[in-house]
């Protein structure tokens, strides 16, 4: 036994809260009508994460890329969770914008989201382009814009892995 060891383990400080920026990607939603954004904030806060702010950004690739780059580079958040813009309509650009920014892609997230969505909605789940990755040590998750999809993705996938993902990215 080392002479400095008293047999009592020092108390560990509680983990620092994970700072999360939440984002709704939409050309038409306002805060009053942004049910999925409100659900996102509510679920992450209830799970103990620190939602630093919520923004609504137009589905323009340069806006999405700039938001992720600026947030991560300024170390404003440990994670960014987006909702919206993941479909296949001509206006859905979130997937392409994020894929061009990611330094590392988290392939399993999109695969897992489509898998659990299949149990809920069936074959239409394959039309989702949910994705995740890392930019400048900031973990980014992108979910579809429906409130049901947000609740499913946050509860089943994001909340269980967010702290570990942030720790690994750092």
């Amino acid at each position: 036994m080392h002479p400095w060891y008293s047999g009592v383990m020092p108390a560990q400080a509680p983990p620092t809260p994970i700072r999360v920026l939440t984002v709704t990607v939409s050309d038409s939603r306002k805060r009053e009508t942004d049910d999925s954004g409100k659900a996102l904030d509510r679920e992450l806060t209830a799970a103990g994460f620190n939602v630093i702010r919520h923004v609504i950004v137009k589905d323009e690739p340069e806006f999405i890329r700039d938001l992720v780059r600026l947030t991560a580079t300024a170390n404003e958040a440990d994670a960014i969770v987006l909702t919206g813009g993941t479909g296949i309509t001509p206006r859905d650009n979130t997937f392409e914008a994020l894929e061009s920014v990611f330094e590392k892609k988290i392939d399993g997230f999109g695969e897992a989201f489509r898998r659990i969505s299949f149990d809920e909605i069936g074959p239409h789940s394959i039309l989702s382009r949910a994705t995740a990755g890392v930019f400048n040590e900031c973990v980014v998750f992108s979910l579809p814009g429906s409130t049901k999809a947000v609740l499913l993705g946050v509860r089943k996938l994001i909340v269980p892995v967010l702290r570990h993902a942030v720790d690994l990215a750092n």
Side-chain angles (χ1 to χ4, degrees):
M1 182 183 279
H2 290 290
W4 51 264
Y5 181 68
S6 66
V8 177
M9 295 297 293
Q12 290 189 349
T16 55
I18 302 294
R19 301 166 299 146
V20 183
L21 171 68
T22 59
V23 181
T24 296
V25 178
S26 175
D27 292 334
S28 60
R29 291 189 193 172
K30 305 280 185 243
R31 189 62 181 156
E32 311 81 60
T33 60
D34 184 14
D35 293 336
S36 60
K38 291 175 190 172
L40 180 61
D41 289 359
R42 186 175 57 249
E43 292 294 317
L44 290 169
T45 300
F49 299 106
N50 178 18
V51 176
I52 59 167
R53 68 184 163 107
H54 180 82
V55 297
I56 299 174
V57 63
K58 290 200 178 295
D59 199 345
E60 295 290 340
E62 64 272 12
F63 294 171
I64 297 164
R65 284 191 298 265
D66 287 350
L67 178 65
V68 170
R69 285 183 182 130
L70 292 171
T71 301
T73 302
N75 193 26
E76 182 182 351
D78 304 300
I80 302 170
V81 182
L82 301 95
T83 174
T86 62
I88 60 170
T89 73
R91 285 294 303 149
D92 289 324
N93 297 300
T94 303
F95 179 87
E96 287 80 13
L98 293 175
E99 294 282 312
S100 71
V101 171
F102 290 156
E103 295 166 337
K104 294 186 183 281
K105 190 172 173 206
I106 305 171
D107 294 311
F109 177 75
E111 296 164 0
F113 181 79
R114 284 180 285 281
R115 167 60 189 88
I116 64 173
S117 295
F118 191 88
D119 292 341
E120 299 282 324
I121 65 169
H124 286 94
S125 64
I126 67 169
L127 301 176
S128 167
R129 297 186 305 145
T131 190
V134 178
F135 175 76
N136 198 35
E137 299 182 357
C138 183
V139 181
V140 181
F141 294 98
S142 178
L143 294 164
S146 79
T147 302
K148 189 174 180 180
V150 166
L151 293 174
L152 182 67
V154 171
R155 290 175 180 167
K156 299 265 183 160
L157 299 174
I158 295 174
V159 165
V161 304
L162 186 54
R163 174 164 296 281
H164 188 60
V166 167
D167 287 347
L168 289 174
N170 288 295

